[in-house]
């Protein structure tokens, strides 16, 4: 038990399952040896900046983080943070682990009341709020230095009920559609699908005529979690409303589940029920999937391993449904400082240094990471319009320049609260879609059963005073 939060073995393993996303995708995102050394960037990297801490620092700082999906990032990050430490008098140690292991490792350290001073997660982790420091001071200082934090990131790291920043979210990653143009052009959609109906019509035709399915997962992994939410929102459905009341069981949700069932029956195969988070990336790159919902990481890998495949992969904005066109952030950085941290001062000062160098972060991640403080990365739109890392065509990523307009937080139209965090970590939404798509229950029953699971989760966190009647 951690501060009264019980994690039984089954639920804990479910939550850990979320993290399959990390290391699995790294397996399809590394190296590049098969394609030779990548071409150097077309321009130099940003120089970065350094500001002396307001107060003297000392001692050591230990950081636990995922292995980035763009491996070049970690090759840069480790010496960079250690160099910062040498300048401020702090010895820095960085541990990268497969993201599949990170929730379990975090939980173990919290239970033991000892471990790393600073931990990075890639999805909102409001469920850790009772066991981490409030980072309002970091957010306030970052806002003073760089302007206001994106609302998308604020709503993914702030609890309006308690007034606490349970995490610091200085960066995020868009979640566009990724498609193989050579497959979609014969279906009359060379620019890719625009609506969910396009996806169904074109995806079914491609499967029928070309023998290639599309890839919208219904498995216990993060991509399925995000895709399912995007479909719900496109129908005007959601798990909660703005005041944190459960509203899942609605006609709009039933329609979305019925649509997913039809999409599966006409355009997919049973493997989507057992995917890990690397599966859709690997399938797209191998020509075994026509469309997925994901970040740009698989395409970046293909640039090195198979340039012709990379040239065939293009991106779309989120698909429009009857009510909306909206995507969840593919990755939402949540840096947390556990209450046991031995050197919170150094952890917070490093987060401010990281924020001041978000232009370098974006560059070293090959434009995978986007800033929560856009003013720090003034050249982002220019880079997206003329990719320094060899996109063919050069403006392939230009549609991401307005990604913040169509991206939202887990928990929309509310915030990423503790209840939403538990629903996300226990995969209630992909399970709901999967049960109906497999024909185990009707869409109406799948939705009713999912709400029956969700309501006690909300009731529990509401009783603990960690969610309330909303407000921002």
């Amino acid at each position: 038990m951690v501060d009264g939060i019980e994690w039984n073995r089954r639920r804990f393993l479910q939550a850990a399952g979320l993290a399959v996303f990390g290391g699995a995708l790294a397996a399809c995102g590394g190296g590049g040896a098969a394609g030779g050394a990548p071409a150097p960037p077309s321009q130099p990297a940003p120089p970065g900046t350094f500001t002396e801490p307001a107060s003297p620092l000392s001692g050591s700082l230990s950081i636990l983080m995922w292995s980035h999906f763009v491996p070049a990032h970690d090759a840069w990050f480790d010496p960079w943070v250690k160099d910062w430490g040498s300048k401020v008098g702090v010895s820095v140690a960085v541990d990268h682990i497969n993201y599949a292991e990170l929730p379990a490792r975090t939980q173990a350290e919290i239970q033991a009341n000892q471990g790393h001073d600073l931990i990075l997660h890639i999805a909102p982790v409001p469920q850790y709020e009772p066991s981490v420091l409030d980072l309002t001071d970091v957010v306030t200082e970052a806002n003073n230095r760089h302007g206001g934090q994106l609302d998308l990131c604020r709503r993914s790291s702030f609890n309006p009920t308690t007034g606490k920043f349970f995490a610091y979210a200085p960066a995020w990653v868009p979640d566009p559609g990724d498609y193989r143009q050579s497959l979609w052009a014969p279906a009359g959609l060379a620019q890719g699908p625009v609506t969910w109906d396009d996806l169904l019509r074109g995806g079914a035709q491609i499967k029928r005529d070309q023998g290639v399915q599309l890839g919208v997962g219904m498995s216990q992994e993060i991509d399925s979690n995000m895709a399912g939410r995007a479909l719900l929102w496109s129908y005007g459905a959601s798990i909660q409303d703005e005041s944190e009341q459960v509203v899942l069981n609605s006609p709009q949700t039933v329609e979305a589940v019925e649509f997913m069932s039809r999409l599966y029956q006409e355009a997919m195969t049973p493997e989507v029920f057992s995917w890990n988070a690397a599966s859709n990336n690997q399938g797209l790159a191998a020509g075994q999937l026509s469309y997925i919902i994901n970040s740009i990481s698989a395409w970046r890998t293909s640039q090195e391993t198979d340039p012709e495949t990379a040239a065939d992969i293009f991106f779309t904005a989120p698909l429009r449904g009857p009510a909306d066109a909206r995507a969840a952030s593919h990755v939402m950085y949540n840096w947390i400082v556990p209450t046991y941290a031995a050197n919170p001062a150094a952890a917070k000062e490093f987060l401010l240094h990281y924020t001041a160098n978000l232009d370098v972060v974006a560059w070293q991640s090959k434009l995978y990471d986007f800033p929560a403080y856009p003013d720090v990365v003034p050249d982002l739109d220019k880079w997206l319009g003329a990719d320094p890392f060899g996109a063919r065509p050069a403006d392939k990523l230009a549609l991401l320049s307005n990604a913040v307009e169509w991206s939202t937080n887990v928990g929309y139209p509310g915030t990423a609260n503790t209840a939403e965090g538990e629903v996300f970590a226990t995969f209630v939404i992909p399970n709901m879609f999967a049960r109906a798509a497999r024909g185990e229950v009707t869409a109406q029953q799948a939705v009713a059963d999912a709400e029956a699971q969700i309501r006690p989760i909300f009731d529990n966190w509401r009783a603990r005073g960690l969610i309330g009647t909303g407000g921002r």
Side-chain angles (χ1 to χ4, degrees), residues 209-224:
D209 296 347
Q210 303 179 61
V212 180
Q213 69 155 326
L214 59 83
V216 180
M218 289 175 274
S219 183
Q220 294 196 2
E221 49 86 29
I222 193 170
D223 293 350
S224 297

Side-chain angles (χ1 to χ4, degrees), residues 180-455:
R180 294 292 295 265
Q181 189 175 68
S182 63
L183 298 172
W184 283 85
L189 291 163
Q191 302 308 308
V194 175
T195 67
W196 285 97
D197 284 342
D198 286 344
L199 186 70
L200 174 59
R201 176 174 57 85
Q205 181 178 335
I206 292 167
K207 183 173 183 287
R208 182 176 62 251
D209 296 347
Q210 303 179 61
V212 180
Q213 69 155 326
L214 59 83
V216 180
M218 289 175 274
S219 183
Q220 294 196 2
E221 49 86 29
I222 193 170
D223 293 350
S224 297
N225 246 330
M226 298 304 191
R229 282 163 172 76
L231 178 57
L232 288 178
W233 296 328
S234 80
Y235 273 80
S238 60
I239 295 169
Q240 65 176 1
D241 62 17
E242 290 185 71
S243 60
E244 301 175 299
Q245 304 301 313
V246 178
V247 294
L248 182 69
N249 194 353
S250 70
Q252 293 82 5
T253 304
V254 173
E255 287 182 46
V257 172
E258 289 173 340
F259 176 87
M260 182 72 93
S261 297
R262 186 178 172 195
L263 189 68
Y264 165 69
Q265 292 158 8
E266 298 187 25
M268 295 194 280
T269 61
E271 66 195 68
V272 298
F273 300 124
S274 57
W275 273 353
N276 62 41
S279 301
N280 56 0
N281 291 271
Q282 293 167 338
L284 182 77
Q288 297 169 353
L289 297 174
S290 63
Y291 175 96
I292 66 173
I293 299 174
N294 213 292
S295 66
I296 68 171
S297 57
W299 165 70
R300 282 295 190 206
T301 298
S302 294
Q303 284 185 291
E304 299 182 21
T305 61
D306 188 347
E308 292 309 310
T309 290
D312 190 40
I313 296 174
F314 285 79
F315 303 96
T316 72
L319 301 175
R320 179 163 294 282
D324 203 355
R326 194 173 297 275
S329 167
H330 183 75
V331 163
M332 176 58 66
Y333 287 151
N334 263 214
W335 291 91
I336 59 173
V337 181
T339 52
Y340 63 71
N343 200 346
K348 293 178 179 182
E349 194 64 46
F350 168 70
L351 291 178
L352 293 172
H353 177 67
Y354 179 90
T355 303
N357 287 276
L358 286 171
D359 55 345
V360 186
V361 173
W363 180 274
Q364 296 294 345
S365 70
K366 296 187 177 180
L367 311 187
Y368 181 92
D369 294 348
F370 276 41
Y373 293 92
D375 288 353
V376 184
V377 194
D379 290 333
L380 181 59
D381 284 352
K382 181 178 73 173
W383 295 340
L384 294 172
D387 179 42
F389 302 99
R392 296 163 46 196
D395 65 350
K396 180 171 284 191
L397 299 180
L399 87 162
L400 299 181
S401 63
N402 70 336
V404 71
E405 297 174 13
W406 43 257
S407 301
T408 194
N409 59 283
V410 170
Y412 175 84
T415 60
N417 59 37
T418 48
E420 283 278 359
E422 184 172 341
V423 172
F424 190 93
T426 51
F427 305 104
V428 176
I429 296 306
N431 290 344
M432 174 186 73
F433 283 114
R435 294 181 69 220
R438 286 193 295 254
E440 296 173 2
V441 294
T442 64
Q444 292 87 345
Q445 190 62 52
V447 172
D449 291 347
E451 177 155 313
Q453 289 180 267
I454 289 170
R455 282 196 175 277

Side-chain angles (χ1 to χ4, degrees), residues 95-116:
D95 291 317
H96 296 273
I97 63 173
N98 185 320
Y99 195 77
E101 302 169 12
L102 189 51
R105 179 69 173 271
T106 301
Q107 189 66 18
E109 293 190 1
I110 289 174
Q111 288 177 323
N113 202 37
Q114 62 181 0
H116 292 81

Side-chain angles (χ1 to χ4, degrees), residues 82-104:
K82 291 177 182 179
D83 177 66
W84 170 82
S86 68
K87 291 177 180 176
V88 300
V90 173
S91 173
V92 181
V94 183
D95 291 317
H96 296 273
I97 63 173
N98 185 320
Y99 195 77
E101 302 169 12
L102 189 51

